[in-house]
Amino acid sequence: MLDIKWIRENPEAFDTALKNRGKEAKAFFLISLDEDRRAAIQSVQEMQTRRNLLAKQIGEIKRTGGDADALMEEASLLRDKLPQAEESLKALEDQLTHTLALIPNIPATDVPLGTSEKDNVEVRTWGEKPSFSFTPQQHFDIGEAMRLMSFEEGAKISGARFVVLKGELARLERALAAFMLDTHTREYGYVEVSPPYLVRTQAMYGAGQLPKFEEDAFVTTNDYWLIPTAEVPLTNLVAEEILENAQLPLRFVAHTPCFRSEAGSAGKDTRGMIRLHQFHKVELVSVTTPSTSEAEHQRMLSAAQSILERLNIHYRIVVLCTGDMGLCSRKTYDIEVWLPGQNAYREISSCSNFGDYPARRMNARFRDEDKKIHLVHTLNGSGLAVGRTLVAVLENYQQEDGSVVIPDVLRPYMGGETLIKGQR
Protein backbone atom coordinates (compact mmCIF):
# COMPACT_ATOMS: atom_id res chain seq x y z
CA MET A 1 0.00 0.00 0.00
CA LEU A 2 1.22 3.48 -0.84
CA ASP A 3 1.57 6.37 1.60
CA ILE A 4 -1.26 8.88 1.15
CA LYS A 5 1.07 11.61 2.44
CA TRP A 6 3.49 10.89 -0.41
CA ILE A 7 0.60 11.00 -2.90
CA ARG A 8 -0.51 14.40 -1.55
CA GLU A 9 3.01 15.75 -1.90
CA ASN A 10 3.74 14.15 -5.31
CA PRO A 11 0.46 14.01 -7.26
CA GLU A 12 2.03 14.36 -10.71
CA ALA A 13 4.68 11.69 -10.09
CA PHE A 14 1.97 9.40 -8.70
CA ASP A 15 -0.30 9.81 -11.73
CA THR A 16 2.64 9.33 -14.10
CA ALA A 17 3.53 6.08 -12.32
CA LEU A 18 -0.08 4.89 -12.62
CA LYS A 19 -0.13 5.77 -16.30
CA ASN A 20 3.08 3.80 -16.82
CA ARG A 21 1.36 0.82 -15.21
CA GLY A 22 -1.65 1.17 -17.49
CA LYS A 23 -3.93 2.63 -14.83
CA GLU A 24 -6.06 5.76 -14.70
CA ALA A 25 -4.93 8.87 -12.81
CA LYS A 26 -6.09 8.74 -9.21
CA ALA A 27 -4.29 11.57 -7.43
CA PHE A 28 -7.18 14.09 -7.52
CA PHE A 29 -9.72 11.51 -6.29
CA LEU A 30 -7.48 10.20 -3.51
CA ILE A 31 -6.41 13.64 -2.33
CA SER A 32 -10.05 14.82 -2.27
CA LEU A 33 -11.07 11.71 -0.36
CA ASP A 34 -8.23 12.24 2.10
CA GLU A 35 -9.22 15.89 2.58
CA ASP A 36 -12.76 14.78 3.43
CA ARG A 37 -11.32 12.22 5.86
CA ARG A 38 -9.08 14.77 7.53
CA ALA A 39 -11.98 17.23 7.82
CA ALA A 40 -14.08 14.48 9.37
CA ILE A 41 -11.30 13.70 11.85
CA GLN A 42 -11.13 17.35 12.87
CA SER A 43 -14.91 17.53 13.25
CA VAL A 44 -15.04 14.41 15.41
CA GLN A 45 -12.16 15.63 17.56
CA GLU A 46 -13.85 19.03 18.05
CA MET A 47 -17.11 17.34 19.03
CA GLN A 48 -15.29 15.06 21.48
CA THR A 49 -13.46 18.02 22.99
CA ARG A 50 -16.72 19.97 23.31
CA ARG A 51 -18.43 16.94 24.87
CA ASN A 52 -15.73 16.60 27.50
CA LEU A 53 -15.78 20.33 28.24
CA LEU A 54 -19.58 20.31 28.61
CA ALA A 55 -19.42 17.39 31.02
CA LYS A 56 -16.94 19.32 33.15
CA GLN A 57 -18.96 22.55 33.05
CA ILE A 58 -22.24 20.78 33.84
CA GLY A 59 -20.62 19.06 36.81
CA GLU A 60 -19.30 22.36 38.16
CA ILE A 61 -22.67 24.13 37.72
CA LYS A 62 -24.56 21.33 39.47
CA ARG A 63 -22.15 21.39 42.38
CA THR A 64 -22.88 25.10 42.89
CA GLY A 65 -26.65 24.66 42.45
CA GLY A 66 -26.80 26.54 39.17
CA ASP A 67 -28.98 25.97 36.08
CA ALA A 68 -27.25 23.63 33.58
CA ASP A 69 -30.29 22.90 31.38
CA ALA A 70 -28.97 24.67 28.28
CA LEU A 71 -25.61 22.93 28.51
CA MET A 72 -27.30 19.61 29.16
CA GLU A 73 -29.45 20.05 26.06
CA GLU A 74 -26.32 20.80 24.00
CA ALA A 75 -24.61 17.72 25.47
CA SER A 76 -27.64 15.61 24.57
CA LEU A 77 -27.51 16.81 20.98
CA LEU A 78 -23.79 16.00 20.84
CA ARG A 79 -24.46 12.49 22.14
CA ASP A 80 -26.79 12.00 19.19
CA LYS A 81 -24.54 13.60 16.57
CA LEU A 82 -21.17 12.17 17.60
CA PRO A 83 -21.87 8.50 16.72
CA GLN A 84 -23.09 9.59 13.28
CA ALA A 85 -19.95 11.66 12.75
CA GLU A 86 -17.75 8.76 13.90
CA GLU A 87 -19.58 6.41 11.56
CA SER A 88 -19.10 8.81 8.65
CA LEU A 89 -15.41 9.07 9.50
CA LYS A 90 -15.04 5.29 9.56
CA ALA A 91 -16.76 5.03 6.17
CA LEU A 92 -14.32 7.57 4.70
CA GLU A 93 -11.34 5.78 6.26
CA ASP A 94 -12.54 2.42 4.94
CA GLN A 95 -13.09 3.84 1.46
CA LEU A 96 -9.61 5.38 1.40
CA THR A 97 -7.97 2.20 2.69
CA HIS A 98 -9.82 0.01 0.19
CA THR A 99 -8.95 2.31 -2.71
CA LEU A 100 -5.29 2.47 -1.71
CA ALA A 101 -5.21 -1.33 -1.37
CA LEU A 102 -6.01 -1.65 -5.09
CA ILE A 103 -3.42 0.90 -6.24
CA PRO A 104 -0.25 -0.81 -7.55
CA ASN A 105 3.22 -0.02 -6.28
CA ILE A 106 5.34 2.71 -7.84
CA PRO A 107 7.83 1.15 -10.31
CA ALA A 108 11.53 1.62 -9.72
CA THR A 109 13.11 4.23 -11.98
CA ASP A 110 15.02 1.64 -14.04
CA VAL A 111 11.98 -0.53 -14.85
CA PRO A 112 11.32 -0.49 -18.62
CA LEU A 113 8.10 1.14 -19.80
CA GLY A 114 5.57 -1.11 -21.49
CA THR A 115 2.03 -2.41 -21.53
CA SER A 116 2.38 -6.20 -21.59
CA GLU A 117 4.85 -9.11 -21.53
CA LYS A 118 5.91 -8.28 -25.10
CA ASP A 119 7.66 -5.22 -23.66
CA ASN A 120 9.70 -7.17 -21.09
CA VAL A 121 13.43 -6.88 -21.62
CA GLU A 122 15.83 -9.82 -21.73
CA VAL A 123 18.72 -9.22 -19.34
CA ARG A 124 20.87 -12.28 -19.95
CA THR A 125 20.85 -15.99 -20.77
CA TRP A 126 22.72 -18.94 -19.33
CA GLY A 127 23.71 -22.23 -20.96
CA GLU A 128 22.75 -23.65 -24.32
CA LYS A 129 19.54 -25.09 -25.69
CA PRO A 130 19.88 -28.88 -25.88
CA SER A 131 19.94 -30.57 -29.28
CA PHE A 132 18.13 -33.83 -29.99
CA SER A 133 18.40 -36.42 -32.76
CA PHE A 134 14.64 -36.90 -32.40
CA THR A 135 11.60 -34.67 -31.96
CA PRO A 136 11.47 -33.85 -28.22
CA GLN A 137 8.21 -34.55 -26.46
CA GLN A 138 6.33 -32.45 -23.93
CA HIS A 139 6.50 -33.49 -20.29
CA PHE A 140 2.99 -34.89 -20.10
CA ASP A 141 3.64 -37.23 -23.03
CA ILE A 142 6.84 -38.40 -21.32
CA GLY A 143 5.26 -38.83 -17.89
CA GLU A 144 2.10 -40.54 -19.14
CA ALA A 145 4.08 -42.94 -21.33
CA MET A 146 6.06 -43.91 -18.22
CA ARG A 147 2.73 -44.44 -16.42
CA LEU A 148 4.06 -42.27 -13.60
CA MET A 149 2.00 -39.13 -14.31
CA SER A 150 -1.79 -39.24 -14.46
CA PHE A 151 -4.08 -36.30 -15.08
CA GLU A 152 -6.98 -38.71 -15.51
CA GLU A 153 -6.60 -39.96 -11.95
CA GLY A 154 -6.12 -36.40 -10.70
CA ALA A 155 -9.40 -35.43 -12.40
CA LYS A 156 -11.20 -38.48 -10.97
CA ILE A 157 -10.21 -37.46 -7.45
CA SER A 158 -10.34 -33.66 -7.63
CA GLY A 159 -11.34 -32.43 -11.11
CA ALA A 160 -9.46 -30.59 -13.82
CA ARG A 161 -5.97 -29.11 -13.25
CA PHE A 162 -4.82 -31.76 -10.78
CA VAL A 163 -2.20 -34.46 -11.30
CA VAL A 164 -1.10 -37.67 -9.61
CA LEU A 165 2.63 -38.46 -9.66
CA LYS A 166 3.83 -41.93 -8.81
CA GLY A 167 7.01 -43.87 -8.22
CA GLU A 168 10.15 -42.29 -9.58
CA LEU A 169 8.43 -39.05 -10.60
CA ALA A 170 6.97 -38.56 -7.13
CA ARG A 171 10.46 -39.20 -5.77
CA LEU A 172 11.96 -36.78 -8.31
CA GLU A 173 9.59 -34.05 -7.17
CA ARG A 174 10.64 -34.66 -3.56
CA ALA A 175 14.31 -34.77 -4.58
CA LEU A 176 14.06 -31.41 -6.35
CA ALA A 177 12.51 -29.75 -3.28
CA ALA A 178 15.17 -31.20 -0.98
CA PHE A 179 17.96 -30.13 -3.33
CA MET A 180 16.59 -26.59 -3.49
CA LEU A 181 16.20 -26.33 0.28
CA ASP A 182 19.69 -27.65 0.90
CA THR A 183 21.19 -25.19 -1.58
CA HIS A 184 19.38 -22.14 -0.20
CA THR A 185 20.01 -22.96 3.47
CA ARG A 186 23.60 -24.20 3.25
CA GLU A 187 24.97 -21.83 0.63
CA TYR A 188 22.79 -18.71 0.75
CA GLY A 189 21.97 -18.53 4.45
CA TYR A 190 18.18 -18.79 4.23
CA VAL A 191 16.47 -20.12 7.35
CA GLU A 192 14.15 -23.02 6.58
CA VAL A 193 10.60 -22.53 7.87
CA SER A 194 7.67 -24.93 7.96
CA PRO A 195 4.71 -22.51 8.01
CA PRO A 196 0.92 -23.03 8.21
CA TYR A 197 -0.85 -23.67 4.91
CA LEU A 198 -4.04 -22.02 6.18
CA VAL A 199 -3.89 -18.32 7.08
CA ARG A 200 -6.20 -15.62 8.34
CA THR A 201 -7.63 -12.89 6.15
CA GLN A 202 -5.28 -10.30 7.64
CA ALA A 203 -2.25 -12.34 6.58
CA MET A 204 -3.51 -12.50 2.99
CA TYR A 205 -4.19 -8.77 3.07
CA GLY A 206 -0.78 -7.98 4.56
CA ALA A 207 1.02 -9.89 1.81
CA GLY A 208 -0.96 -8.04 -0.88
CA GLN A 209 -3.12 -10.99 -1.97
CA LEU A 210 -6.36 -9.31 -0.88
CA PRO A 211 -8.49 -7.70 -2.09
CA LYS A 212 -6.91 -7.76 -5.56
CA PHE A 213 -6.51 -11.53 -5.99
CA GLU A 214 -9.51 -12.78 -4.03
CA GLU A 215 -10.94 -14.64 -7.05
CA ASP A 216 -7.70 -16.55 -7.53
CA ALA A 217 -7.60 -17.89 -3.96
CA PHE A 218 -9.35 -20.70 -2.11
CA VAL A 219 -11.13 -19.90 1.16
CA THR A 220 -12.65 -22.30 3.68
CA THR A 221 -16.14 -22.04 5.13
CA ASN A 222 -14.69 -20.71 8.40
CA ASP A 223 -12.66 -17.95 6.77
CA TYR A 224 -9.23 -19.50 6.51
CA TRP A 225 -7.39 -19.06 3.22
CA LEU A 226 -5.27 -21.76 1.56
CA ILE A 227 -1.95 -20.16 0.80
CA PRO A 228 -1.35 -19.30 -2.88
CA THR A 229 2.38 -19.18 -2.06
CA ALA A 230 4.55 -19.48 1.05
CA GLU A 231 5.26 -15.78 0.61
CA VAL A 232 2.08 -15.13 2.60
CA PRO A 233 3.03 -16.81 5.90
CA LEU A 234 6.75 -16.06 5.56
CA THR A 235 6.26 -12.32 5.02
CA ASN A 236 3.76 -12.15 7.87
CA LEU A 237 6.34 -13.45 10.31
CA VAL A 238 7.36 -9.80 10.76
CA ALA A 239 3.84 -8.30 10.82
CA GLU A 240 3.31 -5.80 13.67
CA GLU A 241 6.99 -6.15 14.65
CA ILE A 242 9.69 -3.56 15.27
CA LEU A 243 12.97 -5.23 14.36
CA GLU A 244 16.41 -4.02 15.29
CA ASN A 245 18.70 -2.92 12.48
CA ALA A 246 21.26 -5.54 13.52
CA GLN A 247 18.71 -8.33 12.89
CA LEU A 248 18.43 -7.49 9.20
CA PRO A 249 18.41 -8.92 6.67
CA LEU A 250 16.13 -11.81 7.59
CA ARG A 251 16.05 -14.57 4.97
CA PHE A 252 13.43 -17.32 5.01
CA VAL A 253 12.82 -20.32 2.74
CA ALA A 254 9.92 -22.77 2.75
CA HIS A 255 8.72 -25.71 0.69
CA THR A 256 4.93 -25.77 0.64
CA PRO A 257 1.99 -26.72 -1.51
CA CYS A 258 0.36 -23.72 -3.19
CA PHE A 259 -3.32 -23.43 -4.07
CA ARG A 260 -4.73 -21.23 -6.83
CA SER A 261 -8.07 -21.22 -8.57
CA GLU A 262 -6.43 -19.94 -11.79
CA ALA A 263 -9.34 -17.56 -12.32
CA GLY A 264 -9.17 -16.08 -15.78
CA SER A 265 -6.89 -18.79 -17.18
CA ALA A 266 -9.57 -20.74 -19.03
CA GLY A 267 -8.07 -22.31 -22.13
CA LYS A 268 -4.47 -21.69 -21.04
CA ASP A 269 -2.15 -24.67 -20.46
CA THR A 270 -5.05 -27.04 -20.13
CA ARG A 271 -2.72 -30.03 -20.47
CA GLY A 272 0.22 -30.73 -18.26
CA MET A 273 1.70 -29.40 -15.04
CA ILE A 274 2.33 -25.78 -15.99
CA ARG A 275 -0.91 -24.41 -14.51
CA LEU A 276 -2.44 -26.48 -11.70
CA HIS A 277 -4.77 -25.72 -8.81
CA GLN A 278 -2.29 -27.38 -6.43
CA PHE A 279 1.47 -27.36 -6.91
CA HIS A 280 4.67 -27.27 -4.86
CA LYS A 281 7.08 -24.38 -4.64
CA VAL A 282 10.23 -23.49 -2.74
CA GLU A 283 9.80 -19.85 -1.81
CA LEU A 284 12.40 -17.28 -0.77
CA VAL A 285 11.52 -14.22 1.33
CA SER A 286 13.86 -11.47 2.53
CA VAL A 287 13.19 -8.67 4.99
CA THR A 288 15.72 -5.87 4.89
CA THR A 289 16.35 -2.12 5.00
CA PRO A 290 15.59 0.37 2.21
CA SER A 291 19.30 0.99 1.63
CA THR A 292 20.09 -2.70 1.06
CA SER A 293 16.97 -3.97 -0.72
CA GLU A 294 18.35 -3.56 -4.25
CA ALA A 295 21.47 -5.58 -3.40
CA GLU A 296 19.27 -8.17 -1.68
CA HIS A 297 17.19 -8.39 -4.84
CA GLN A 298 20.25 -9.30 -6.91
CA ARG A 299 21.36 -11.80 -4.27
CA MET A 300 17.96 -13.51 -4.28
CA LEU A 301 18.00 -13.70 -8.07
CA SER A 302 21.43 -15.34 -7.93
CA ALA A 303 20.18 -17.92 -5.44
CA ALA A 304 17.21 -18.81 -7.63
CA GLN A 305 19.11 -19.04 -10.90
CA SER A 306 21.84 -21.16 -9.29
CA ILE A 307 19.36 -24.05 -9.07
CA LEU A 308 18.98 -24.19 -12.84
CA GLU A 309 22.71 -23.80 -13.37
CA ARG A 310 23.44 -26.80 -11.10
CA LEU A 311 20.81 -28.74 -13.02
CA ASN A 312 22.54 -27.57 -16.21
CA ILE A 313 19.31 -26.31 -17.79
CA HIS A 314 19.28 -23.34 -20.16
CA TYR A 315 17.36 -20.26 -19.03
CA ARG A 316 17.02 -16.56 -19.60
CA ILE A 317 16.26 -13.65 -17.27
CA VAL A 318 13.88 -10.86 -18.21
CA VAL A 319 13.02 -7.70 -16.31
CA LEU A 320 9.29 -7.06 -16.38
CA CYS A 321 7.99 -3.82 -17.84
CA THR A 322 5.74 -1.44 -15.92
CA GLY A 323 2.56 -2.91 -17.38
CA ASP A 324 3.39 -6.55 -16.58
CA MET A 325 4.48 -6.34 -12.94
CA GLY A 326 2.41 -7.63 -10.04
CA LEU A 327 0.46 -5.30 -7.79
CA CYS A 328 3.03 -5.15 -4.96
CA SER A 329 6.18 -5.10 -7.03
CA ARG A 330 8.43 -2.14 -7.67
CA LYS A 331 10.77 -4.31 -9.78
CA THR A 332 10.56 -7.93 -10.92
CA TYR A 333 12.90 -10.32 -12.68
CA ASP A 334 11.43 -13.45 -14.23
CA ILE A 335 13.58 -16.51 -14.77
CA GLU A 336 12.30 -18.35 -17.84
CA VAL A 337 13.43 -21.92 -18.39
CA TRP A 338 13.78 -23.46 -21.85
CA LEU A 339 11.31 -26.28 -22.54
CA PRO A 340 12.31 -28.11 -25.74
CA GLY A 341 9.05 -30.03 -25.90
CA GLN A 342 7.18 -26.73 -26.13
CA ASN A 343 10.00 -25.03 -28.05
CA ALA A 344 9.48 -22.07 -25.75
CA TYR A 345 10.65 -20.32 -22.61
CA ARG A 346 8.32 -20.57 -19.61
CA GLU A 347 8.46 -18.72 -16.32
CA ILE A 348 9.89 -20.79 -13.47
CA SER A 349 10.58 -18.01 -10.97
CA SER A 350 9.69 -14.38 -10.29
CA CYS A 351 11.98 -12.45 -7.96
CA SER A 352 10.44 -9.18 -6.82
CA ASN A 353 11.43 -6.22 -4.72
CA PHE A 354 8.28 -4.88 -3.04
CA GLY A 355 9.88 -1.95 -1.24
CA ASP A 356 7.75 -0.93 1.77
CA TYR A 357 4.42 -1.66 0.03
CA PRO A 358 3.48 -4.79 2.07
CA ALA A 359 5.22 -3.47 5.19
CA ARG A 360 2.80 -0.55 5.36
CA ARG A 361 -0.12 -3.02 5.32
CA MET A 362 1.54 -5.25 7.95
CA ASN A 363 2.98 -2.43 10.07
CA ALA A 364 6.37 -4.14 9.82
CA ARG A 365 9.15 -1.81 10.94
CA PHE A 366 12.76 -1.59 12.10
CA ARG A 367 14.74 0.69 14.38
CA ASP A 368 17.88 2.20 12.86
CA GLU A 369 21.16 3.10 14.60
CA ASP A 370 19.72 6.50 15.53
CA LYS A 371 16.68 4.83 17.15
CA LYS A 372 14.38 6.10 14.40
CA ILE A 373 11.58 3.81 13.21
CA HIS A 374 11.16 2.97 9.51
CA LEU A 375 9.18 0.52 7.42
CA VAL A 376 11.14 -2.54 6.31
CA HIS A 377 11.52 -3.59 2.68
CA THR A 378 10.36 -7.07 1.72
CA LEU A 379 11.31 -9.24 -1.26
CA ASN A 380 10.21 -12.63 -2.46
CA GLY A 381 11.05 -15.10 -5.20
CA SER A 382 10.52 -18.69 -6.25
CA GLY A 383 13.56 -20.73 -5.63
CA LEU A 384 12.10 -22.54 -7.69
CA ALA A 385 8.58 -23.71 -8.62
CA VAL A 386 9.12 -27.43 -8.01
CA GLY A 387 6.57 -28.74 -10.49
CA ARG A 388 7.83 -26.58 -13.31
CA THR A 389 11.39 -27.61 -12.52
CA LEU A 390 10.30 -31.24 -12.79
CA VAL A 391 8.80 -30.36 -16.17
CA ALA A 392 12.11 -28.79 -17.22
CA VAL A 393 14.09 -31.85 -16.16
CA LEU A 394 11.79 -34.21 -18.05
CA GLU A 395 11.92 -32.19 -21.27
CA ASN A 396 15.63 -31.30 -21.20
CA TYR A 397 16.91 -34.72 -20.11
CA GLN A 398 14.59 -36.94 -22.17
CA GLN A 399 15.99 -39.79 -24.27
CA GLU A 400 14.74 -41.19 -27.54
CA ASP A 401 13.54 -44.40 -25.84
CA GLY A 402 11.30 -42.39 -23.50
CA SER A 403 13.55 -42.58 -20.46
CA VAL A 404 14.91 -39.53 -18.64
CA VAL A 405 18.46 -39.04 -17.39
CA ILE A 406 18.63 -37.86 -13.78
CA PRO A 407 20.80 -34.72 -13.45
CA ASP A 408 24.01 -35.32 -11.51
CA VAL A 409 23.11 -33.11 -8.56
CA LEU A 410 19.86 -35.00 -7.97
CA ARG A 411 21.33 -38.50 -7.96
CA PRO A 412 22.22 -38.49 -4.25
CA TYR A 413 18.55 -37.68 -3.57
CA MET A 414 17.42 -40.49 -5.90
CA GLY A 415 19.34 -43.30 -4.24
CA GLY A 416 22.18 -43.10 -6.75
CA GLU A 417 19.91 -43.90 -9.71
CA THR A 418 20.93 -42.37 -13.05
CA LEU A 419 17.86 -43.02 -15.21
CA ILE A 420 14.07 -42.91 -14.91
CA LYS A 421 12.47 -45.53 -17.12
CA GLY A 422 8.99 -45.77 -15.66
CA GLN A 423 6.54 -48.65 -15.99
CA ARG A 424 6.25 -49.89 -19.54
Side-chain angles (χ1 to χ4, degrees):
M1 182 180 294
L2 298 176
D3 184 2
I4 185 62
K5 180 181 177 182
W6 182 88
I7 295 173
R8 287 199 311 265
E9 295 173 352
N10 302 274
E12 293 183 2
F14 171 68
D15 279 344
T16 297
L18 286 187
K19 180 181 178 181
N20 291 340
R21 296 203 63 161
K23 307 296 182 182
E24 295 181 357
K26 283 279 188 180
F28 178 78
F29 172 76
L30 285 169
I31 291 171
S32 297
L33 182 59
D34 186 49
E35 287 175 349
D36 291 344
R37 179 188 68 89
R38 294 164 75 189
I41 290 173
Q42 182 176 351
S43 176
V44 167
Q45 290 175 339
E46 289 174 351
M47 293 172 72
Q48 291 170 336
T49 300
R50 181 59 180 165
R51 177 197 60 190
N52 295 339
L53 178 61
L54 285 172
K56 183 178 180 180
Q57 290 176 337
I58 290 170
E60 291 175 351
I61 291 173
K62 284 187 173 182
R63 278 194 297 273
T64 59
D67 183 3
D69 288 350
L71 294 182
M72 291 175 64
E73 183 177 352
E74 183 183 353
S76 177
L77 290 173
L78 269 179
R79 280 195 299 271
D80 292 337
K81 292 173 61 178
L82 185 55
Q84 298 174 12
E86 291 172 335
E87 186 176 334
S88 296
L89 171 58
K90 185 178 185 305
L92 286 169
E93 289 177 333
D94 288 348
Q95 184 182 3
L96 179 61
T97 299
H98 179 76
T99 305
L100 285 171
L102 294 172
I103 300 292
N105 203 351
I106 303 299
T109 55
D110 59 346
V111 171
L113 298 180
T115 59
S116 69
E117 62 180 18
K118 65 181 176 60
D119 298 313
N120 296 341
V121 177
E122 183 178 291
V123 176
R124 60 181 176 272
T125 64
W126 185 91
E128 301 293 334
K129 296 177 183 178
S131 59
F132 298 89
S133 60
F134 58 93
T135 302
Q137 298 186 81
Q138 295 200 54
H139 68 280
F140 46 80
D141 290 323
I142 300 168
E144 289 176 332
M146 289 180 170
R147 299 173 64 188
L148 299 178
M149 179 185 294
S150 176
F151 297 94
E152 182 178 345
E153 289 177 323
K156 179 176 70 173
I157 299 167
S158 302
R161 296 192 187 275
F162 288 92
V163 66
V164 172
L165 299 179
K166 297 179 180 179
E168 294 158 290
L169 288 193
R171 187 175 187 181
L172 179 62
E173 183 180 51
R174 176 161 52 94
L176 282 164
F179 163 63
M180 293 174 190
L181 288 171
D182 285 348
T183 301
H184 295 313
T185 55
R186 295 173 183 175
E187 300 189 28
Y188 289 93
Y190 286 87
V191 175
E192 184 173 355
V193 178
S194 179
Y197 303 157
L198 293 170
V199 297
R200 301 179 187 272
T201 298
Q202 183 57 38
M204 288 284 282
Y205 175 81
Q209 297 294 319
L210 297 179
K212 176 71 173 178
F213 303 110
E214 182 173 353
E215 290 186 358
D216 203 35
F218 289 105
V219 61
T220 69
T221 54
N222 55 349
D223 296 327
Y224 283 96
W225 298 80
L226 279 71
I227 59 170
T229 164
E231 171 201 340
V232 175
L234 292 182
T235 305
N236 275 276
L237 290 173
V238 298
E240 302 297 335
E241 297 284 339
I242 299 179
L243 304 166
E244 297 301 328
N245 189 71
Q247 293 176 264
L248 302 176
L250 296 175
R251 300 183 178 112
F252 303 122
V253 60
H255 169 228
T256 68
C258 304
F259 306 91
R260 297 183 186 177
S261 71
E262 294 295 344
S265 65
K268 297 179 181 178
D269 299 307
T270 54
R271 288 202 67 190
M273 292 180 60
I274 294 295
R275 202 180 296 272
L276 298 175
H277 290 314
Q278 174 188 307
F279 57 95
H280 288 264
K281 190 147 63 86
V282 170
E283 191 76 357
L284 306 173
V285 164
S286 293
V287 181
T288 190
T289 64
S291 64
T292 60
S293 66
E294 288 189 23
E296 187 68 19
H297 196 191
Q298 294 298 323
R299 187 182 189 278
M300 177 178 285
L301 182 64
S302 295
Q305 68 191 37
S306 74
I307 300 299
L308 289 175
E309 291 174 9
R310 293 161 200 239
L311 291 170
N312 197 28
I313 295 177
H314 171 63
Y315 68 86
R316 70 176 182 180
I317 295 176
V318 299
V319 60
L320 302 195
C321 70
T322 52
D324 197 35
M325 292 195 304
L327 176 82
C328 299
S329 178
R330 67 189 303 269
K331 186 175 183 178
T332 296
Y333 293 102
D334 272 6
I335 304 175
E336 298 181 345
V337 67
W338 177 251
L339 299 182
Q342 292 191 22
N343 193 37
Y345 289 101
R346 298 302 301 265
E347 177 206 329
I348 200 168
S349 171
S350 282
C351 292
S352 299
N353 186 344
F354 294 153
D356 61 14
Y357 189 95
R360 185 167 284 106
R361 291 173 176 237
M362 297 186 301
N363 197 29
R365 296 157 291 166
F366 76 100
R367 183 182 289 107
D368 68 16
E369 296 92 338
D370 298 323
K371 307 303 180 183
K372 294 181 180 178
I373 305 297
H374 309 272
L375 292 170
V376 298
H377 276 203
T378 60
L379 305 91
N380 93 283
S382 305
L384 304 163
V386 179
R388 293 193 178 193
T389 309
L390 185 145
V391 167
V393 169
L394 292 182
E395 295 199 11
N396 282 274
Y397 281 89
Q398 62 182 293
Q399 305 295 295
E400 190 169 8
D401 64 0
S403 64
V404 173
V405 174
I406 298 172
D408 291 345
V409 292
L410 297 181
R411 292 177 185 178
Y413 299 92
M414 295 289 290
E417 296 293 325
T418 61
L419 201 65
I420 298 176
K421 297 179 180 179
Q423 305 167 4
R424 295 176 184 274

